[in-house]
């Protein structure tokens, strides 16, 4: 079979490595992929948002199955176009991807169907938003409505910070049209859990839970990033909480999308906060998380392509999706300075032993050399019987990989280990 994977980061590399485990897969094209995944896929320089280019490529390369991984092509309708071209695809339609594409849509959906989330107000007018900020209790969370590369959320602890966030979204258009409208919401506290799920609109099959580490620096300091490391499973996510989430969040969300005529088929990501008043939704994503995928998929026992095809064919309830009873840890190696400014173009060396564990996100091949080409350069994942061993192994492997100006956090999994001890 010929497969096509849209996207080019560490998440896509993890998806590709897992899909390759299926013996029927002969070739995987990555659009655009990156220089670090050339051992696993044929990278084709077509941008993930060039929907016409992707569809044309699929049509002319005998593609048997396509996976659209990133949020922007999904929100732009890439899955719809591939389907129209007769190519079976994993990834939600444009109508369903709005669950991530518009925070106002998702907040209104949760309100309408009684799905627990932070209280909120929506604004399309700067002065009304600023007047609200003046009298609302702190802290406040200010969110751009649309996609903003994971940077559209500001947690404001002072009125000034909140007003600045409102102005930079709505007046300065820091996120372009994504910030024309904003959500201002209540600040919640509690452990965060990421739960990725497979859903075909009939059933929801949650994957093993995970924990992201979003801040750039140790002890959760520094700027918010796309994610500096992950562990799975997340020790805060007990069986009782999982059952509660299925009842109050996962199934109600699937049913709500069906009722709205926006059946979601693909990977639905639930970003949850376990508050004192029970689990609440912080955000939905219409796709696999990055770097959650780099710990979740290595633990998947069932063949990934089979699961994805069952989602496409709406036969997911016929399948048992199994995960290993082990732990995984992923450490992201970034260019020092990320997520602000950083230098790139440094040679990356990855020992043979580490290659099967490495998911490359930001690299380019030039004159036979692999060079850094992004903020998050690569992730290294270890799967072991328990979390302490997985973390030790992931850090051992990370130390064996080299590029100038490499930076990584040294406390990935620390909170999870503490939770295991409690
Ligand atoms: P998001 O881009 O929606 O994932 O938000 C980024 C991060 O901001 C989340 O992972 C949370 O840590 C934090 N966050 C978002 N919304 C809230 C909220 N209502 N209360 C507290 N923290 C939040
Ligand atoms: N790691 C968070 C995300 O993929 O949105």
């Amino acid at each position: 079979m010929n497969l096509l994977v849209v996207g080019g980061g560490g998440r896509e590399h993890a998806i590709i490595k897992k899909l390759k485990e299926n013996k029927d897969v002969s070739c995987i094209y990555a659009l655009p992929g990156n220089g670090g995944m050339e051992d696993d896929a044929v990278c084709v320089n077509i941008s993930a948002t060039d929907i016409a280019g992707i569809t044309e490529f699929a049509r002319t390369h005998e593609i048997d199955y396509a996976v659209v991984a990133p949020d922007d092509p999904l929100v732009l309708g890439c899955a719809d176009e591939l389907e129209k071209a007769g190519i079976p695809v994993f990834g939600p339609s444009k109508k369903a991807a709005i669950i991530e594409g518009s925070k106002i849509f998702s907040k209104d959906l949760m309100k309408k169907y009684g799905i627990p989330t932070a209280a909120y107000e929506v604004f399309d007018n700067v002065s009304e938003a600023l007047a609200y900020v003046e009298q609302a209790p702190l802290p406040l969370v200010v969110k751009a409505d649309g996609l903003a590369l994971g940077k559209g959320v500001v947690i404001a602890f002072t009125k000034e910070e909140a007003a600045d966030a409102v102005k930079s979204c709505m007046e300065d258009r820091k996120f372009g049209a994504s910030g024309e409208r904003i959500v201002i919401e209540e600040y919640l506290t509690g452990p965060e859990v990421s739960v990725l799920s497979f859903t075909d609109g009939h059933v929801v099959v949650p994957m093993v839970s995970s924990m992201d580490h979003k801040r750039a620096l140790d002890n959760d300091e520094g700027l918010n990033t796309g994610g500096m490391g992950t562990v799975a499973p997340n020790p805060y996510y007990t069986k009782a909480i999982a059952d509660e989430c299925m009842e109050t969040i996962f199934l109600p969300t699937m049913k709500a999308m069906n009722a709205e005529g926006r059946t979601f088929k693909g990977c639905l990501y639930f970003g949850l906060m376990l508050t004192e008043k029970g689990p609440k939704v912080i955000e939905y994503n219409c796709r696999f998380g990055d770097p959650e995928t780099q710990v979740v998929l290595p633990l998947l026992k069932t063949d990934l392509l089979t699961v994805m095809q069952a989602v496409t064919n709406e036969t997911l309830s016929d399948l048992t999706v199994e995960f290993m009873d082990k732990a995984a840890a992923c450490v992201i190696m970034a260019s020092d300075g990320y997520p602000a400014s950083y230098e790139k173009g440094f040679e990356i060396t990855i020992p043979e032993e580490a290659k099967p564990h490495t998911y490359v996100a930001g690299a380019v091949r030039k004159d036979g050399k692999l060079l850094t080409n992004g903020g998050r350069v690569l992730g290294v994942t270890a799967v072991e019987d328990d979390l302490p061993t997985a973390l030790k192994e992931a850090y051992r492997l990370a130390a064996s990989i080299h590029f100038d100006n490499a930076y990584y956090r040294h406390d990935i999994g620390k909170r999870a280990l503490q939770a295991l001890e409690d």
Side-chain angles (χ1 to χ4, degrees):
M1 288 180 82
N2 292 329
L3 308 189
L4 181 158
V5 173
V6 176
R11 163 186 54 204
E12 287 75 12
H13 199 180
I15 291 172
I16 287 166
K17 279 194 171 168
K18 200 70 190 175
L19 286 171
K20 264 182 63 177
E21 290 178 8
N22 182 310
K23 285 191 218 59
D24 293 333
V25 173
S26 41
C27 177
I28 305 182
Y29 294 100
L31 276 57
N34 74 63
M37 54 172 88
E38 284 172 357
D39 290 344
D40 298 305
V42 178
C43 298
V44 182
N45 194 15
I46 295 176
S47 151
T49 50
D50 177 3
I51 311 300
I54 292 166
T55 314
E56 184 56 22
F57 181 89
R59 221 189 298 230
T60 50
H61 287 77
E62 294 178 4
I63 298 299
D64 299 296
Y65 194 75
V67 178
V68 184
D71 46 4
D72 3 5
L74 288 166
V75 169
L76 290 169
C78 190
D80 311 61
E81 291 308 312
L82 286 166
E83 201 177 13
K84 270 191 225 155
I87 293 147
V89 56
F90 183 85
S93 65
K94 180 176 180 169
K95 270 184 97 171
I98 192 174
I99 198 163
E100 175 172 2
S102 167
K103 290 201 193 295
I104 296 174
F105 170 85
S106 68
K107 295 297 290 188
D108 289 349
L109 185 87
M110 287 186 269
K111 188 189 245 178
K112 181 170 171 187
Y113 292 92
I115 298 165
T117 189
Y120 70 104
E121 298 287 338
V122 172
F123 298 93
D124 59 8
N125 173 299
V126 192
S127 39
E128 283 171 22
L130 292 174
Y132 176 79
V133 163
E134 261 323 297
Q135 50 75 46
L138 291 166
L140 281 172
V141 185
V142 180
K143 300 186 172 186
D145 175 45
L147 297 181
L149 297 169
K151 300 190 176 89
V153 174
V154 172
I155 300 184
F157 290 93
T158 64
K159 302 268 176 199
E160 216 173 14
E161 281 169 1
D164 284 348
V166 167
K167 284 188 219 155
S168 75
C169 256
M170 302 182 89
E171 275 180 0
D172 310 340
R173 290 295 159 92
K174 190 172 173 193
F175 308 110
S178 286
E180 263 170 34
R181 296 195 294 161
I182 60 166
V183 172
I184 301 184
E185 69 179 30
E186 167 200 11
Y187 176 73
L188 299 177
T189 52
E192 282 189 61
V193 184
S194 305
V195 180
L196 284 56
S197 72
F198 293 107
T199 175
D200 61 356
H202 301 280
V203 289
V204 183
V205 177
M207 298 180 222
V208 61
S209 62
S210 53
M211 184 192 288
D212 195 2
H213 297 69
K214 285 204 160 106
R215 299 299 200 94
L217 309 177
D218 283 2
N219 300 315
D220 287 330
E221 287 170 9
L223 296 170
N224 247 329
T225 70
M228 293 299 292
T230 36
V231 297
N234 185 321
Y236 290 105
Y237 193 69
T238 60
K239 169 85 174 66
I241 293 175
D243 290 346
E244 185 180 354
C245 289
M246 180 57 90
E247 189 97 343
T248 61
I249 295 173
F250 305 161
L251 287 173
T253 302
M254 180 191 84
K255 288 178 187 162
M257 291 298 275
N258 288 342
E260 294 292 310
R262 296 177 183 272
T263 294
F264 189 103
K265 287 169 63 176
C267 174
L268 182 53
Y269 167 131
F270 299 91
L272 306 172
M273 195 168 269
L274 308 180
T275 73
E276 277 179 358
K277 293 185 185 153
K280 295 192 179 187
V281 177
I282 288 282
E283 62 161 349
Y284 293 116
N285 290 327
C286 66
R287 51 166 177 89
F288 285 95
D290 190 344
E292 284 89 341
T293 306
Q294 291 90 312
V295 283
V296 169
L297 288 188
L299 291 171
L300 177 65
K301 270 207 275 191
T302 315
D303 174 59
L304 177 61
L305 181 59
T306 306
V307 183
M308 287 181 158
Q309 287 174 319
V311 169
T312 308
N313 300 331
E314 299 181 29
T315 55
L316 191 55
S317 62
D318 298 343
L319 201 68
T320 307
V321 181
E322 290 183 290
F323 285 83
M324 295 172 202
D325 189 15
K326 291 183 175 235
C330 174
V331 175
I332 297 292
M333 299 181 70
S335 302
D336 195 13
Y338 169 76
S341 61
Y342 51 84
E343 281 183 76
K344 48 191 189 181
F346 298 112
E347 184 170 4
I348 307 168
T349 52
I350 308 172
E352 280 307 314
E353 176 208 24
K355 280 186 181 162
H357 299 269
T358 303
Y359 303 113
V360 183
V364 63
R365 204 167 279 281
K366 235 182 199 165
D367 305 326
K369 287 181 179 169
L370 191 61
L371 307 178
T372 62
N373 192 39
R376 288 192 295 178
V377 175
L378 56 85
V380 56
T381 295
V383 173
E384 297 289 342
D385 285 342
D386 53 50
L387 185 60
T389 320
L391 284 164
K392 215 168 143 192
E393 180 62 3
Y395 274 113
R396 188 185 70 81
L397 291 166
S400 75
I401 295 171
H402 182 265
F403 52 91
D404 283 352
N405 88 338
Y407 169 77
Y408 52 92
R409 276 180 61 164
H410 288 84
D411 65 343
I412 300 303
K414 195 170 153 193
R415 243 176 322 128
L417 289 178
Q418 276 162 1
L420 283 173
E421 281 165 16
D422 290 345

